[in-house]
Amino acid sequence: MIYADNAATTKMSKAAIDAMLPYMEEYYGNPSSLYAFGQQAKEALENARSRIAACLHADPREVTFTSGGSEADNQAIMTAAALGMRRGKKHIVSTAFEHHAVLHTLEKLKKQGFEVTLLDVHNTGLLRPEQVAEAIREDTCLVTIMYANNEIGTIQPVTEIGAICREKGVLFHTDAVQAAGHLHIDVKEQNIDMLSLSAHKFHGPKGIGALYAKRGIILETIINGGAQERGKRAGTENIPAIMGMAAALEEACAAMDEHSAKLTVLRERLIHGLDQIPYSELNGDHKHRLPGNVNFCFEGIEGESLLLLLDDKGICASSGSACTSGSLDPSHVLLAIGRPHEVAHGSLRLSLGEDMTEADIDEIILAVTDVVNYLRNISPFWRDLVNGKRPHIFER
Ligand SMILES: *Cc1c(COP(=O)(O)O)cnc(C)c1O
């Protein structure tokens, strides 16, 4: 099997698993217990917090553990909204192609009287920092823009956006779930006020994440109950997962340059190979993208069929369209970069992993080429394109 869906989740690293086991087998105490056995767990918790903070160039007191990226996004946005509400500021700036953890939270706030400006990300999947400056108003309480997009991998000018927000005195949150462990993050240098991350996207365990919030930002609670996480996130801490996350993030950050160089070579080989397929196009800017992300649209193809046939050939990939969620709508990300519905349905995301080889890439290129040809040959839609009954969208 070739696993090319690392943007969906990653395999846990040996270091992450090894870091977790002692906290399941031996040190299983509750960090809130006062006896020494509980305090060992408490020490581990604070040790992990410090190590994660160090990877972000943050202070440990600025890191709150959550159940993952979705919860961190929810908490960051609800925090800014609560602060804004108190000052009569009910306007939020974001983009049309954020993760649903952000977009659906913004939808909820709209029902509570907030106004949301979704900035255009153009056909490149990239925002210009000036757009943020222009969109900020007197009543803006938050700018929330993802660091790197989970579908098309485009990397936003986060440092420039942070500088603009700081100058204008507006809170800046970034969903860095795809960036953490893969791209350089320095919350101080980049003027980031809040940042979300999730362990299972960098070879850590699922169900654990963190929210960085700059000192002075009082988090709004989403999960109410006990006084864990300084009263900002109730629930007994998942110490094994937290230890796994710390180990995975340290490992990913230490090997970042090496991994990035390796993935970029594989990515370029794959992009070059898929580019040979007629009437296909890469989605999102080629240069400003995650080292492991490849996302293509193929004319006359239906994403789900493509995935199922690739699965038969032992290749795990993903498509932009959200049929799994019971909807036939194409990906909101591909529509946001201006892809027409009919090609947005024929998209394929291949997100590469550090342990892949050039031989894997070549196997993927062969398999995708085969499957696209096969599907086009049996497609009445494709026949119409070939016979000139419908215009092509892409150039050959
Ligand atoms: C995966 C992902 C999330 C959600 O993270 P979970 O830990 O799965 O809740 C949020 N944002 C982006 C960009 C993601 O890729």
Side-chain angles (χ1 to χ4, degrees):
M1 181 190 81
I2 298 179
Y3 184 77
D5 203 13
N6 287 276
T9 197
T10 57
K11 176 182 173 167
M12 278 186 66
S13 74
K14 174 103 177 38
I17 295 169
D18 286 348
M20 293 175 76
L21 288 175
Y23 294 90
M24 297 192 254
E25 291 174 339
E26 274 182 80
Y27 310 108
Y28 52 81
N30 186 323
S32 298
S33 303
L34 291 179
Y35 40 77
F37 187 58
Q39 288 308 297
Q40 277 174 336
K42 172 83 180 161
E43 266 168 39
L45 174 66
E46 296 315 324
N47 167 280
R49 196 189 308 281
S50 296
R51 289 158 57 207
I52 289 164
C55 293
L56 306 173
H57 301 266
D59 186 281
R61 286 166 295 185
E62 297 174 317
V63 173
T64 301
F65 292 112
T66 66
S67 64
S70 300
E71 187 186 330
D73 284 342
N74 274 256
Q75 191 165 17
I77 294 167
M78 295 313 280
T79 293
L83 291 169
M85 192 96 99
R86 268 174 241 142
R87 297 185 194 139
K89 296 185 172 195
K90 295 179 78 173
H91 174 240
I92 297 174
V93 176
S94 189
T95 74
F97 78 164
E98 296 296 311
H99 191 273
H100 283 134
V102 168
L103 288 179
H104 290 172
T105 307
L106 295 178
E107 279 304 316
K108 191 166 150 177
L109 286 172
K110 267 162 88 174
K111 292 192 188 107
Q112 296 170 21
F114 279 78
E115 208 185 312
V116 177
T117 301
L118 296 181
L119 299 175
D120 180 9
V121 290
H122 310 102
N123 57 9
T124 53
L126 293 173
L127 197 88
R128 285 190 301 271
E130 310 86 78
Q131 289 174 268
V132 178
E134 285 157 16
I136 290 176
R137 315 190 308 211
E138 275 302 303
D139 62 342
T140 305
C141 62
L142 173 70
V143 169
T144 173
I145 291 168
M146 68 202 318
Y147 202 129
N149 185 271
N150 47 302
E151 287 186 33
I152 59 174
T154 51
I155 301 168
Q156 299 300 343
V158 169
T159 307
E160 289 82 354
I161 296 169
I164 290 166
C165 293
R166 188 58 54 89
E167 189 206 311
K168 300 210 180 241
V170 175
L171 283 180
F172 173 42
H173 164 252
T174 186
D175 173 341
V177 174
Q178 290 290 331
H182 303 279
L183 300 174
H184 173 77
I185 296 177
D186 183 329
V187 291
K188 299 262 165 355
E189 194 183 277
Q190 296 176 294
N191 291 308
I192 296 167
D193 296 311
M194 291 188 277
L195 175 142
S196 310
L197 57 86
S198 176
H200 75 101
K201 303 288 175 73
F202 50 79
H203 305 285
K206 293 168 182 56
I208 190 73
L211 174 60
Y212 154 82
K214 187 178 148 69
R215 274 193 83 182
I217 298 172
I218 313 286
L219 292 180
E220 186 73 5
T221 61
I222 304 286
I223 309 291
N224 302 293
Q228 292 93 350
E229 297 299 282
R230 303 163 156 257
K232 297 307 171 199
R233 204 284 184 178
T236 302
E237 301 87 341
N238 187 346
I239 305 294
I242 288 169
M243 295 309 279
M245 171 158 68
L249 188 60
E250 275 182 341
E251 196 182 30
C253 289
M256 191 180 287
D257 293 342
E258 183 199 325
H259 285 167
S260 171
K262 184 182 176 194
L263 286 173
T264 304
V265 170
L266 295 177
R267 180 191 76 190
E268 291 311 297
R269 189 180 183 93
L270 183 53
I271 290 177
H272 179 77
L274 297 183
D275 237 355
Q276 312 304 312
I277 299 175
Y279 302 105
S280 68
E281 240 176 57
L282 181 71
N283 291 312
D285 190 76
H286 190 155
K287 191 160 150 252
H288 303 278
R289 73 192 296 130
L290 286 167
N293 177 287
V294 174
N295 190 317
F296 264 82
C297 275
F298 303 101
E299 263 188 63
I301 292 290
E302 217 261 308
E304 275 64 43
S305 323
L306 181 55
L307 286 193
L308 293 176
L309 291 173
L310 285 177
D311 186 22
D312 285 346
K313 292 175 181 277
I315 295 169
C316 305
S318 159
S319 166
S321 45
C323 288
T324 43
S325 60
S327 108
L328 279 168
D329 294 340
S331 145
H332 69 288
V333 173
L334 297 178
L335 295 182
I337 61 167
R339 291 299 191 209
H341 277 250
E342 56 271 38
V343 285
H345 270 300
S347 75
L348 176 69
R349 177 186 73 186
L350 295 152
S351 39
L352 313 181
E354 298 81 8
D355 56 355
M356 287 172 88
T357 63
E358 293 196 344
D360 292 332
I361 299 297
D362 294 345
E363 195 177 325
I364 295 174
I365 295 169
L366 267 181
V368 174
T369 307
D370 261 14
V371 171
V372 167
N373 281 338
Y374 170 78
L375 287 173
R376 280 177 174 171
N377 280 333
I378 59 169
S379 156
F381 189 86
W382 181 252
R383 201 173 312 130
D384 286 353
L385 287 167
V386 173
N387 295 337
K389 287 190 189 149
R390 267 174 212 272
H392 278 290
I393 287 161
F394 296 145
E395 283 169 27
R396 194 178 188 289

